[in-house]
Amino acid sequence: AQSVTQLDSHVSVSEGTPVLLRCNYSSSYSPSLFWYVQHPNKGLQLLLKYTSAATLVKGINGFEAEFKKSETSFHLTKPSAHMSDAAEYFCVVSDPGSSNTGKLIFGQGTTLQVKP
Amino acid sequence: GAVVSQHPSRVICKSGTSVKIECRSLDFQATTMFWYRQFPKQSLMLMATSNEGSKATYEQGVEKDKFLINHASLTLSTLTVTSAHPEDSSFYICRGAGGAGGTEAFFGQGTRLTVV
């Protein structure tokens, strides 16, 4: 069975400092992993995805994530936080049981606060 | 890229009435539509999965007679909350998958339902 755990429910950083949002997964298969961002009362926007190609994945808005199989991790990072990065972030693993239309399993979410 | 358009974005209704939420896939055919519910400060919980032309599959604990899902065409799926009660107040999000959608798929913008 697939599962995903976001290790921090809330992360606070100062503007201009690095961001680290942690995610660990459990999967019996070679997983597809995603990071989504959600601003208040908005839908979800895909930041980046890992699908067994390069282990270091670059996404939008300066975010990137590294797939580490030995650590079963897929942490999200950004070198310098911007005020507009304040939002909820979800780490997601896909259930490959249905090939192209598999279920997505969401982590609990991490609230990123960016202080001026 | 592919888009899922969800309407309305916000709705307030009286207890006992029914509310219909629509999700339309633009530029691709959503053979599968996933419906999620999100309570404040919580992650997304899958409610049901619908495939075009067939009955939806509901997750455990979700009342199929209360949350009616119709997926009559490859571009339109609807969720009707019947006899709504205040505890049904939540954020509902659809996700279309299939064809150009794939596993990353595409989320609608979400609907904030408030039952008074």
Side-chain angles (χ1 to χ4, degrees):
Chain A
Q2 323 285 318
S3 68
V4 59
T5 302
Q6 290 181 243
L7 300 171
D8 307 292
S9 59
H10 189 273
V11 170
S12 181
V13 301
S14 297
E15 189 175 20
T17 63
V19 175
L20 170 64
L21 305 183
R22 298 182 295 165
C23 173
N24 284 100
Y25 69 92
S26 173
S27 175
S28 303
Y29 308 93
S30 180
S32 292
L33 293 157
F34 311 81
W35 276 98
Y36 283 89
V37 61
Q38 184 183 32
H39 289 91
N41 289 312
K42 300 291 185 182
L44 281 81
Q45 181 182 21
L46 179 67
L47 283 177
L48 49 81
K49 63 177 179 177
Y50 166 78
T51 55
S52 76
T55 57
L56 181 62
V57 182
K58 293 187 182 298
I60 62 172
N61 300 336
F63 285 96
E64 62 181 38
E66 186 172 7
F67 173 73
K68 292 186 176 181
K69 186 175 181 179
S70 60
E71 299 177 10
T72 61
S73 69
F74 190 58
H75 301 333
L76 181 71
T77 60
K78 182 173 180 177
S80 176
H82 192 272
M83 295 298 292
S84 61
D85 294 328
E88 190 79 10
Y89 291 80
F90 293 99
C91 182
V92 181
V93 64
S94 72
D95 180 345
S98 301
S99 64
N100 217 27
T101 57
K103 291 181 180 179
L104 295 183
I105 299 166
F106 284 77
Q108 302 89 328
T110 298
T111 302
L112 176 63
Q113 179 187 21
V114 182
K115 296 179 288 187
Chain B
V3 172
V4 173
S5 178
Q6 182 173 349
H7 293 280
S9 59
R10 188 180 295 268
V11 59
I12 301 173
C13 71
K14 293 183 178 181
S15 288
T17 61
S18 296
V19 174
K20 179 183 285 188
I21 301 169
E22 290 189 351
C23 279
R24 295 182 181 273
S25 58
L26 309 179
D27 299 328
F28 77 103
Q29 294 182 326
T31 54
T32 302
M33 192 70 77
F34 300 91
W35 287 93
Y36 298 84
R37 180 174 184 176
Q38 183 182 33
F39 289 105
K41 306 294 184 184
Q42 295 188 26
S43 187
L44 278 71
M45 299 299 295
L46 180 65
M47 298 174 65
T49 303
S50 71
N51 291 296
E52 183 266 336
S54 60
K55 289 184 178 181
T57 301
Y58 290 80
E59 297 298 302
Q60 191 173 10
V62 178
E63 298 176 60
K64 62 180 181 181
D65 294 329
K66 180 167 188 63
F67 299 100
L68 300 178
I69 292 173
N70 183 285
H71 194 168
S73 79
L74 288 171
T75 58
L76 174 64
S77 179
T78 62
L79 167 67
T80 301
V81 183
T82 63
S83 186
H85 291 281
E87 56 265 31
D88 298 324
S89 299
S90 190
F91 194 60
Y92 294 87
I93 307 178
C94 63
R95 169 186 159 237
T103 51
E104 71 178 87
F106 298 92
F107 286 89
Q109 302 91 327
T111 297
R112 170 68 62 193
L113 171 63
T114 303
V115 184
V116 298

